Amino acid sequence: MLIPDDLRYTTEHEWVRLDGDIATVGITDYAQEQLGDIVFVELPAAGTPVESMRIFGAVEAVKTVADLFSPVTGAVIAVNEQLEAHPEYVNTDPYETGWMIKIRVTTASEFDGLLTAQAYQKLIGA
Amino acid sequence: MAEGELRRTPFFDLHRAAGAKMVPFSGWEMPVQYEGILAEHRCVRSAAGLFDVSHMGRVEVHGRDAVAFVNVLTTNDVERLEPGQAQYSAMCDARGGIVDDLLVYRRPDRILLVPNAGNRAKDLDWMVAHRAGFDVDIRDVSEETALLALQGPRAPDVLARLTSLPLDEIGYYRFRVGEVCGCEMVVSRTGYTGEDGFELWFPASEAARVWTALIDAGREFRIKPCGLGARDTLRLEMGYCLYGHEIDETTSVLEAGLGWITRFTKSRFIGKEALLAQKAAGLTRRLIGFRLRERGFPRQGYAILHDGQPVGTVASGTVSPSLDVGIGTGYVPVELAKPGTDLEIDVRGKRVPTDVVKLPFYTGGSGR
């Protein structure tokens, strides 16, 4: 189970990487393993506003569907268009090629309220 | 066994050793997947897969009246079976509702039945309740036996490595009793995937040895152990009914499109009068297969719409791994059941345009 130290996490199993005021968001290795084979990822268009811990999309796996929650508030500036043809990247490489959206963050302090790798590890009992 | 405790098949330890994800299913702790549902699905369509289906029931009916008794209990015609032949059938109640769907095997001296895991106890009660006047001995042999399904175009190649049985002579829905890797078993050319393959019924004490022999012999044909997840997507691509989804006690065999296993020419079977009356009055609803015209994942319970109005609910749905499109089943008013009819599925608030299509969805299988 991969839980990179340099990322922050939500209680809903998203990860976020902050680079300046740009947050890159995806779902964790634990989440993809729980979901199993992912067949679609529903993502918002660039420009869409997102809010901290509000739904921004959904992941459709063979056995189940899960909502995606935005870790931070801001506006979507990019979506991973590769996932359209290759949703399985979320399974095979959730922290890199399986990223989902990039958000220009309006409230940087929200980042500090997210779970550290250690806290997330504790949450999932890994 | 304690209330709520899950049963385990004799293959449980092998599943865990193979990395299976175990889930509760009909009171059993079963592998839903090993490597992944999609990889296992594709492996069965292209090579071979091995499924533990020991959660399903195995019942023997012995006695002078075994054929007559099962013929009254079930909708298909057991008299038409020669020894060594099997048929798909259903048990109905007096109202024509489906108690269970099952396989019926005829051996020279007995009838074998394979009911659903979740219905086994109910079915046995039902059988005992209707045995009066028949010279039969009903034996539940589920605990002492194991059941594996070896499925896929390479299944005969795998099995041929382990048996001298003339597999070419075992036609579809036929079976033989013979040795596979030195273990005597029922070798039946049946399955639930749409591919060629076999179901193997043998003593539970031989479980580990037979499983390991099949996996080892299958390696050169790229066999994979497969879980219930792939079993479900494979059967749904074929439009096969799953009890609790397409069929239950509130649906009739006629509504479910199972008229072909309902033999009204038989003098008597439970549910016959009700089904004849239903047929005479005309059906009001029918089970359909539907195919989404746009991207979407239809799931059980989603609404089926026509002209914006709800007309049914999804019984089973998935994105077909073989066709890469959303497919599913559900009951709709009979006037909307014709292939080509325009419907919509409410996929999480989005109305996805959908066509009624003929079953099966997938026609490329190696099964006959």
Side-chain angles (χ1 to χ4, degrees):
Chain A
M1 190 73 56
L2 223 58
I3 309 174
D5 275 338
D6 58 332
L7 305 181
R8 292 293 180 104
Y9 300 87
T10 72
T11 53
E12 300 292 331
H13 310 288
E14 288 82 15
W15 58 262
V16 54
R17 178 184 290 122
L18 194 64
D19 188 6
D21 63 346
I22 306 300
T24 304
V25 175
I27 64 168
T28 65
D29 193 19
Y30 174 79
Q32 71 76 20
E33 197 184 295
Q34 292 295 308
L35 288 166
D37 287 326
I38 289 162
V39 290
F40 303 138
V41 186
E42 301 279 353
L43 297 175
T48 308
V50 291
E51 250 184 89
S52 163
M53 295 323 285
R54 293 290 180 88
I55 294 167
F56 73 82
V59 190
E60 296 270 12
V62 179
K63 289 305 273 185
T64 188
V65 56
D67 286 324
L68 294 165
F69 291 84
S70 180
V72 291
T73 302
V76 177
I77 57 159
V79 299
N80 185 352
E81 277 158 13
Q82 288 215 70
L83 298 183
E84 182 85 17
H86 297 287
E88 73 276 10
Y89 288 173
V90 178
N91 290 119
T92 55
D93 192 14
Y95 299 109
E96 298 294 338
T97 52
W99 70 274
M100 292 176 177
I101 57 170
K102 291 184 191 291
I103 299 166
R104 187 179 303 281
V105 177
T106 52
T107 320
S109 60
E110 283 172 353
F111 188 78
D112 300 323
L114 295 165
L115 301 175
T116 61
Q118 205 178 13
Y120 181 68
Q121 186 163 11
K122 207 170 150 190
L123 176 83
I124 62 172
Chain B
M1 194 172 69
E3 187 83 19
E5 195 176 313
L6 294 172
R7 293 167 184 235
R8 291 175 174 182
T9 77
F11 303 96
F12 182 83
D13 292 337
L14 292 156
H15 297 324
R16 276 228 290 235
K21 187 188 279 186
M22 306 299 290
V23 297
F25 179 82
S26 294
W28 293 78
E29 193 171 1
M30 296 299 292
V32 64
Q33 64 168 66
Y34 303 78
E35 182 182 333
I37 294 172
L38 295 177
E40 291 161 30
H41 181 111
R42 289 176 184 131
C43 184
V44 172
R45 288 270 178 257
S46 63
L50 186 61
F51 300 82
D52 174 12
V53 288
S54 304
H55 59 306
M56 302 195 71
R58 287 167 296 287
V59 177
E60 295 186 350
V61 183
H62 295 254
R64 203 161 41 103
D65 296 334
V67 169
F69 174 62
V70 176
N71 224 9
V72 166
L73 281 178
T74 59
T75 57
N76 210 336
D77 192 351
V78 187
E79 298 274 9
R80 289 165 63 123
L81 291 179
E82 298 160 23
Q85 225 181 340
Q87 68 188 184
Y88 179 54
S89 194
M91 288 201 293
C92 290
D93 59 27
R95 296 171 300 115
I98 301 172
V99 177
D100 202 1
D101 65 328
L102 69 176
L103 283 192
V104 177
Y105 296 80
R106 186 169 187 173
R107 289 184 66 170
D109 61 338
R110 73 194 90 164
I111 298 289
L112 310 179
L113 304 172
V114 179
N116 281 295
N119 289 338
R120 180 174 131 206
K122 178 183 81 168
D123 290 358
L124 283 162
D125 288 347
W126 182 258
M127 293 170 75
V128 168
H130 291 87
R131 60 166 294 169
F134 292 100
D135 176 10
V136 288
D137 174 16
I138 301 161
R139 299 181 198 163
D140 180 2
V141 297
S142 309
E143 303 288 333
E144 63 218 61
T145 57
L147 191 63
L148 291 177
L150 173 66
Q151 300 281 296
R154 306 311 297 271
D157 299 317
V158 177
L159 202 58
R161 288 275 188 273
L162 300 173
T163 186
S164 56
L165 278 171
L167 299 177
D168 289 347
E169 292 174 17
I170 307 177
Y172 192 46
Y173 270 78
R174 303 221 167 226
F175 67 97
R176 293 272 185 108
V177 178
E179 280 194 3
V180 174
C181 60
C183 171
E184 185 169 278
M185 61 179 75
V186 174
V187 176
S188 161
R189 202 146 202 162
T190 47
Y192 196 47
T193 62
E195 297 300 329
D196 195 2
F198 302 89
E199 289 173 305
L200 310 170
W201 168 328
F202 53 93
S205 56
E206 298 277 10
R209 202 167 67 77
V210 174
W211 173 278
T212 307
L214 286 164
I215 292 289
D216 287 348
R219 201 155 284 134
E220 66 176 294
F221 304 106
R222 283 175 297 136
I223 197 172
K224 286 186 200 294
C226 298
L228 294 182
R231 186 168 161 83
D232 191 46
T233 52
L234 288 158
R235 72 91 196 167
L236 187 51
E237 284 189 340
M238 295 308 296
Y240 296 154
C241 291
L242 174 59
Y243 200 88
H245 289 250
E246 282 76 17
I247 52 176
D248 60 26
E249 284 168 10
T250 71
T251 65
S252 89
V253 277
L254 301 178
E255 293 171 332
L258 299 177
W260 64 279
I261 60 164
T262 308
R263 302 289 179 184
F264 290 113
T265 48
K266 290 201 300 186
S267 62
R268 177 183 160 213
F269 67 87
I270 300 169
K272 182 180 175 184
E273 292 72 22
L275 291 167
L276 278 174
Q278 190 177 66
K279 199 176 176 185
L283 299 179
T284 57
R285 59 171 190 165
R286 269 200 80 100
L287 184 69
I288 57 153
F290 63 80
R291 182 180 169 128
L292 270 49
R293 288 207 293 271
E294 293 172 9
R295 200 175 84 159
F297 202 126
R299 296 182 191 275
Q300 185 185 11
Y302 288 5
I304 303 174
L305 310 171
H306 179 68
D307 285 340
Q309 297 302 310
V311 292
T313 53
V314 175
S316 297
T318 193
V319 171
S320 160
S322 303
L323 308 170
D324 196 25
V325 64
I327 59 170
T329 59
Y331 285 92
V332 297
V334 71
E335 62 274 17
L336 299 175
K338 252 199 218 86
T341 306
D342 217 352
L343 299 173
E344 291 175 318
I345 307 295
D346 183 341
V347 178
R348 293 161 53 83
K350 191 177 150 208
R351 291 180 183 177
V352 181
T354 299
D355 290 312
V356 177
V357 295
K358 263 178 68 178
L359 296 173
F361 299 103
Y362 179 73
T363 53
S366 56
R368 282 148 302 169

